[in-house]
Amino acid sequence: MYLRREMLGVTLLLALVFVAVSEDILNKCMDGKHHKKTPGPEGKLFQQCKPWKNNACCTANTTEEAHEDNSYLYNFNWNHCGIMSSSCKRHFIQDTCFYECSPHLGPWIQKVNQSWRNERIIDVPICKEDCNGWWEDCKTDFTCKENWHKGWDWSTGTNICPAGTKCRKFSDVFPTPQSMCEKIWSRSYAYSTFERSSGRCMQMWFDEGTNPNEDVARYYAVEKGLINGASSLSLPASLFGLLTFLSLLLF
């Protein structure tokens, strides 16, 4: 009887740990330069970042700086090849909001050893409409680099084009929307062939209210084996019966 209780106790503990770990994957902040430790409500997020206000990994200050040309966030200058058009810049602002604020990137977070962050995202599947629209609005703007994560001249304190490069149209540097989405931030994003309505790709743009990316993250967490398939709709609810049964046996 004692041994049975001990084994049931271990099973109950493992089930509770499973719930906690799985929920963490679906609702977590990456260990980055400006991210909060844990996601939560932020009532005053700025302009384009407002859709994340109910559950965010960013602060109001971060979102305000995300809208500045030369913000303290990363000292990154969008205007490194002349003034970036407002239609193009709004996509980079939205990209920054998505990166800084999203609490549902867990399935794509990986550890890194970098001076400014300990985790990054790899191959987040971005809906094709978002990538296509981004490229369309930026294709006549100019840049001098394909990978914006590295290789800049930072001697002035902000990024300038390195020696030997020249400014070219986005459409020359990135011939397709896929090449831009996947290369500009060194494969942080993957171009998805799924549409926004599919529930199989992450949306950079969505209206205030329910974040559609939570269900997408849950789907890919199951696909990657990070959570149990039976828990894909509601993890705590699916295990509630088991936990209750084990508790009755124990006590």
Side-chain angles (χ1 to χ4, degrees), residues 25-46:
I25 289 171
L26 297 176
N27 188 45
K28 67 175 295 185
C29 300
M30 77 180 83
D31 187 357
K33 186 175 183 180
H34 301 290
H35 292 81
K36 291 160 48 177
K37 295 295 183 184
T38 56
E42 290 285 339
K44 296 182 179 179
L45 296 188
F46 196 67

Side-chain angles (χ1 to χ4, degrees), residues 19 230 233-242:
V19 171
L233 293 179
S234 179
L235 183 63
S238 69
L239 288 180
F240 180 76
L242 173 61

Side-chain angles (χ1 to χ4, degrees), residues 144-145 147-154 159-163 165:
C144 56
K145 282 180 50 54
N147 185 342
W148 287 17
H149 259 157
K150 58 184 181 180
W152 296 98
D153 179 351
W154 291 95
N159 58 301
I160 59 177
C161 294
T165 63

Side-chain angles (χ1 to χ4, degrees), residues 40-60:
E42 290 285 339
K44 296 182 179 179
L45 296 188
F46 196 67
Q47 293 185 4
Q48 288 181 222
C49 299
K50 282 183 180 179
W52 284 272
K53 68 180 182 180
N54 292 335
N55 192 30
C57 288
C58 56
T59 65

Side-chain angles (χ1 to χ4, degrees), residues 75-211:
N75 294 322
F76 196 90
N77 179 22
W78 306 120
N79 303 317
H80 53 268
C81 275
I83 303 299
M84 180 180 283
S85 68
S86 58
S87 58
C88 177
K89 189 178 298 179
R90 72 187 187 97
H91 289 277
F92 284 99
I93 293 171
Q94 196 70 17
D95 161 48
T96 304
C97 292
F98 179 83
Y99 173 79
E100 299 290 346
C101 299
S102 294
H104 306 308
L105 297 174
W108 302 279
I109 292 176
Q110 294 187 14
K111 297 288 184 183
V112 291
N113 183 21
Q114 296 178 332
S115 60
W116 54 285
R117 61 182 180 179
N118 296 315
E119 292 179 333
R120 65 161 297 185
I121 47 175
I122 298 286
D123 290 339
V124 177
I126 301 299
C127 298
K128 68 176 184 180
E129 298 100 321
D130 289 8
C131 281
N132 291 348
W134 191 353
W135 185 83
E136 282 290 335
D137 287 343
C138 291
K139 64 183 181 182
T140 58
D141 282 85
F142 288 81
T143 185
C144 56
K145 282 180 50 54
E146 183 180 74
N147 185 342
W148 287 17
H149 259 157
K150 58 184 181 180
W152 296 98
D153 179 351
W154 291 95
S155 59
T156 62
T158 189
N159 58 301
I160 59 177
C161 294
T165 63
K166 64 178 182 179
C167 293
R168 296 183 292 155
K169 281 187 177 181
F170 262 65
S171 58
D172 293 331
V173 178
F174 306 109
T176 65
Q178 181 174 357
S179 64
M180 188 204 69
C181 257
E182 295 185 347
K183 292 180 178 180
I184 199 164
W185 298 126
S186 57
R187 293 205 64 88
S188 292
Y189 304 136
Y191 180 87
S192 176
T193 57
F194 286 111
E195 296 180 349
R196 295 163 62 87
S197 60
S198 68
R200 297 293 181 265
C201 59
M202 300 290 277
Q203 299 182 33
M204 284 191 173
W205 300 84
F206 58 92
D207 296 327
E208 292 183 45
T210 302
N211 188 331

